[in-house]
Amino acid sequence: MNAAFELVVRTRSGSVQALVVNAADAAAARMGVAAQGMQVLTCQPRQRSVERPQKALRGGNKALDIVNLSYELSSLMAAGLSVTEALRTLAQKERSTARRAVLQDVLTGVNEGMPLSRALNRHPGRFPPLLIATVSASEQTGDLSTALLRYSEHQQSIKALRDKVVGAAIYPALLLGVGCLVVLFLLGVVVPKFAVLIESTRKELPWTSQLMMSWGRLVAEHLWSVALCSLGALAALALTVRHVVRTGAKSRWIEALPFIGANMRQFRHAQLYRTTGMLIHGGIAAPQALQLCATLLGDADQGRLAQAVTMIQEGRSLSGALNAAGLADPVASSMLTVAERTGTLSQILERVALFHESSLQRSVELTSRLFEPVLMIVIGLVIGAIVVLMYLPIFDLASSLQ
């Protein structure tokens, strides 16, 4: 029984082509093609396009590095390979079954005559809408390799900015975590032991120390209840952090936080300008580019962006619409006004993004420099107050003995 094999061959004229040959085995397929005067470069069994194995495809979005894939695909195409050859090469080098299955399915769609954007769009959630829109626009202009490289560089710049923000927050987060652990240890272990010791003296204590000792007695008498409540609080905190991470910290209450909310909003605006400029440079109209970038913003700004898009579709200028919707500061409005006169909208949007990123870096550095010493002082005061309140009864006991 014959089977289908996919071959990449070099013809007599020197061009590289992809062929599908039916043969008993791979050796027979190679011999049949070689008999026609063509050189076989690769030969592998053809994957069926009907009833694709969903189990193999499941989870591909978690393992597939879209930025790296775009860069490698752009590099291979810039070296002279066609889309099918580049996809086949990337699929062959993948070690993960899930990633290989996704790339092989995209390759099958392209071999069936689909444009690359449509083949990517067959996997909802696996490939970002921005990538699909970029590929779709480049297919009309014929610069797919350049568009993929531009998308990769764009995502890398956003990742670099995000890493700087996260890096600045790591030390305060560690400091806060260690301080909370020390406070919990004092309140959950040390204070209960002191409460039992001091209670046996029957000494009159200051009201602050009495409050501390009451907590200690509560923990000693209801240890498991307090432990379960603490675990529940930690679980709720973990779920909240997980929700914030999964939603990209786009909830309204996060934007209302002092310092943090303003920096998060400025970071999203920088993403908006940079991504919109990239899409416009690729040939996508401004209203459509803004709509594709809506998911980059928070909940409140998404509604403002929808209003701005409506204004633009009604004939208003981009700078006026963004300014009226509250998505452009005076600097951005002035630069966009110049861009509309000179026709360099994509370049100006890139400059606006750089301006926002530079301002954000300064703000993050200043906030971290102010927040770290304040956090250390607060944690030190809390731990010091607990220790002093524990030792006050001992000082009173020592003075009475004297």
Side-chain angles (χ1 to χ4, degrees):
M1 183 177 179
N2 290 341
F5 294 89
E6 293 182 353
L7 292 87
V8 178
V9 301
R10 188 183 303 278
T11 63
R12 295 178 179 177
S13 60
S15 62
V16 179
Q17 295 181 358
L19 300 177
V20 178
V21 178
N22 292 322
D25 52 23
R30 288 176 174 271
M31 292 178 58
V33 172
Q36 302 178 18
M38 293 182 287
Q39 179 185 1
V40 180
L41 301 178
T42 63
C43 177
Q44 61 181 1
R46 186 183 185 187
Q47 300 290 336
R48 295 182 179 181
S49 60
V50 181
E51 298 294 335
R52 288 178 297 274
Q54 294 300 322
K55 184 177 181 180
L57 294 178
R58 190 179 297 118
N61 57 327
K62 297 181 181 179
L64 200 59
D65 188 349
I66 302 299
V67 176
N68 189 51
L69 172 65
S70 303
Y71 178 79
E72 291 179 345
L73 189 59
S74 171
S75 300
L76 292 175
M77 295 179 63
L81 276 71
S82 64
V83 177
T84 56
E85 294 169 355
L87 287 173
R88 184 178 292 106
T89 302
L90 294 178
Q92 290 174 348
K93 84 176 188 64
E94 284 293 348
R95 298 181 180 179
S96 170
T97 304
R99 290 188 296 229
R100 189 184 306 111
V102 172
L103 292 176
Q104 190 64 49
D105 191 70
V106 173
L107 173 61
T108 302
V110 175
N111 285 332
E112 292 174 352
M114 296 181 183
L116 179 59
S117 58
R118 184 180 173 187
L120 296 175
N121 201 30
R122 293 197 305 173
H123 303 273
R126 285 190 168 87
F127 297 97
L130 292 176
L131 174 62
I132 297 175
T134 302
V135 172
S136 178
S138 64
E139 289 170 345
Q140 301 175 9
T141 58
D143 57 346
L144 180 58
S145 175
T146 304
L148 289 171
L149 180 61
R150 191 186 308 122
Y151 176 85
S152 175
E153 293 175 347
H154 163 263
Q155 294 298 321
Q156 288 175 353
S157 63
I158 291 179
K159 183 179 182 299
L161 179 60
R162 185 184 295 111
D163 291 343
K164 290 181 181 179
V165 175
V166 173
I170 287 178
Y171 180 73
L174 290 176
L175 183 63
L176 181 61
V178 173
C180 291
L181 289 177
V182 173
V183 172
L184 290 175
F185 176 77
L186 291 175
L187 294 178
V189 178
V190 180
V191 172
K193 294 183 179 301
F194 263 84
V196 175
L197 176 64
I198 298 301
E199 188 178 19
S200 61
T201 63
R202 305 296 181 181
K203 180 72 177 176
E204 186 67 24
L205 303 177
W207 70 270
T208 53
S209 297
Q210 290 180 6
L211 183 62
M212 184 68 64
M213 294 304 110
S214 298
W215 166 260
R217 288 192 298 270
L218 176 64
V219 174
E221 295 173 0
H222 305 88
L223 179 61
W224 289 108
S225 299
V226 174
L228 290 176
C229 292
S230 301
L231 291 176
L234 291 176
L237 178 62
L239 291 175
T240 302
V241 172
R242 180 184 178 187
H243 173 72
V244 169
V245 172
R246 294 183 64 179
T247 59
K250 297 178 181 179
S251 301
R252 295 176 183 266
W253 65 270
I254 296 179
E255 296 183 357
L257 295 176
F259 299 110
I260 298 177
N263 288 333
M264 289 297 299
R265 192 164 185 258
Q266 190 172 24
F267 172 71
R268 295 194 187 100
H269 284 191
Q271 285 185 296
L272 172 67
Y273 290 124
R274 183 180 292 277
T275 308
T276 303
M278 180 197 69
L279 294 175
I280 291 176
H281 185 75
I284 299 177
Q288 183 182 358
L290 290 172
Q291 290 175 341
L292 290 170
C293 299
T295 55
L296 299 175
L297 300 177
D299 295 338
D301 282 340
Q302 287 186 15
R304 299 187 183 100
L305 183 62
Q307 297 176 0
V309 172
T310 302
M311 295 178 190
I312 295 174
Q313 292 173 343
E314 292 175 352
R316 196 162 182 174
S317 64
L318 177 63
S319 58
L322 293 178
N323 189 30
L327 294 175
D329 56 13
V331 175
S333 298
S334 301
M335 297 178 70
L336 290 175
T337 302
V338 174
E340 291 168 345
R341 291 201 304 261
T342 59
T344 57
L345 185 57
S346 61
Q347 292 86 342
I348 295 298
L349 284 170
E350 180 74 17
R351 294 181 183 179
V352 174
L354 291 174
F355 179 84
H356 276 272
E357 291 172 0
S358 176
S359 176
L360 176 63
Q361 291 179 9
R362 293 194 299 269
S363 178
V364 169
E365 291 178 359
L366 178 61
T367 302
S368 62
R369 290 178 181 176
L370 293 176
F371 185 68
E372 289 173 10
V374 170
L375 185 61
M376 293 179 66
I377 292 173
V378 171
I379 293 176
L381 289 176
V382 171
I383 296 176
I386 295 174
V387 173
V388 170
L389 291 177
M390 286 192 305
Y391 276 91
L392 276 179
I394 296 180
F395 295 154
D396 292 342
L397 180 62
S399 62
S400 64
L401 293 177
Q402 292 176 357

